[in-house]
Amino acid sequence: IALALFMMFEFVVFPVWDSLQEKRATLPIQEKKLEKYREVARTAGLRSAEVASAETRLREAEGGLLASKTAALASAELQELMKQLTSAESIEVRSSEFLPAKPLSTEFAQVPLGIKFQCRLDQFVNLLKAIAGGPKSLAVPRLLIQPIGGREKLVGVNMQIAGIMRLER
C-alpha cells in the first residue's frame, strides 16, 4: 500500500501540483495579456472608423490621378486638361512638348508636359490657381517666367506641368 501511495504521489499528484504552481506563477502575465486584448477589443470600433476614413482619403487622392493607362495617353490627357485650363483664362499656348514619363515607384509614374505661352500676369496667376484647385493633382516642377514689358504687363512663360498616373501591373 505504501509503495502504491508513493507511486501515486510521485507520478500523479506531484506533477499535477507542479503544473498548477507554474500556471499560478504566470498568472500576472496572463492578466496583463487579457487586459491588453480587452483594450484592443474596446477600440475596435474606433479602429474601423479610422480605416474607413483612411480609405476615403485614399479614394479622394486617387481621384486626382490621371485616368489613362499608358504614358502616351496620360500625356494627351494632361495636354487636353492644360488646353482647357489655358483657354478658360484666354491664354494661347504657343507650343507643347511631350516629355518622357518618370517612374516614381513600382505603382506610379510622373507624366510631365512642357508648355510655352505669353499672357498677362493676372492671367498667369489665375491659371496657377486653377491648376492648384483643379480636379487632378498637378505639380509644376519647372517654371521660367520672363517679363516682356509694356503696359499690359505681359510675361513669357515656359513651364513644365506634371500629373501622376498609376502604372499597369
Side-chain angles (χ1 to χ4, degrees), residues 66 68 70-80 98-99 101 111-113:
L66 297 173
S68 302
T70 65
L73 290 175
S75 291
E77 179 184 351
L78 184 58
Q79 183 184 31
E80 183 62 31
F98 293 107
L99 301 169
V111 180
L113 175 72

Side-chain angles (χ1 to χ4, degrees), residues 16 28 45 81 100 105 115:
V16 170
L81 180 61
S105 69
I115 58 173

Side-chain angles (χ1 to χ4, degrees), residues 22-35:
E22 289 173 3
K23 286 183 181 179
R24 192 176 84 164
T26 62
L27 189 60
I29 295 171
Q30 291 176 348
E31 286 176 344
K32 288 179 183 178
K33 280 184 184 178
L34 178 62
E35 186 58 36

Side-chain angles (χ1 to χ4, degrees), residues 6-121:
F6 175 75
M7 297 298 277
M8 187 174 80
F9 274 100
E10 185 68 30
F11 294 110
V12 177
V13 176
F14 290 147
V16 170
W17 181 261
D18 289 342
S19 69
L20 290 175
Q21 292 300 321
E22 289 173 3
K23 286 183 181 179
R24 192 176 84 164
T26 62
L27 189 60
I29 295 171
Q30 291 176 348
E31 286 176 344
K32 288 179 183 178
K33 280 184 184 178
L34 178 62
E35 186 58 36
K36 286 181 183 179
Y37 291 149
R38 284 183 178 161
E39 184 65 29
V40 168
R42 278 190 288 256
T43 62
L46 177 63
R47 300 289 179 224
S48 64
E50 288 175 355
V51 167
S53 172
E55 287 175 347
T56 301
R57 288 193 314 266
L58 176 64
R59 279 192 298 278
E60 289 172 1
E62 286 183 343
L65 297 178
L66 297 173
S68 302
K69 300 296 180 192
T70 65
L73 290 175
S75 291
E77 179 184 351
L78 184 58
Q79 183 184 31
E80 183 62 31
L81 180 61
M82 284 308 298
K83 190 182 295 183
Q84 291 171 3
L85 292 173
T86 54
S87 65
E89 294 300 324
S90 302
I91 298 172
E92 182 182 334
V93 176
R94 293 190 176 198
S95 69
S96 294
E97 179 184 6
F98 293 107
L99 301 169
K102 300 172 189 170
L104 297 174
S105 69
T106 57
E107 294 184 24
F108 299 100
Q110 183 182 45
V111 180
L113 175 72
I115 58 173
K116 293 179 185 179
F117 56 89
Q118 283 185 352
C119 64
R120 291 186 325 269
L121 189 57

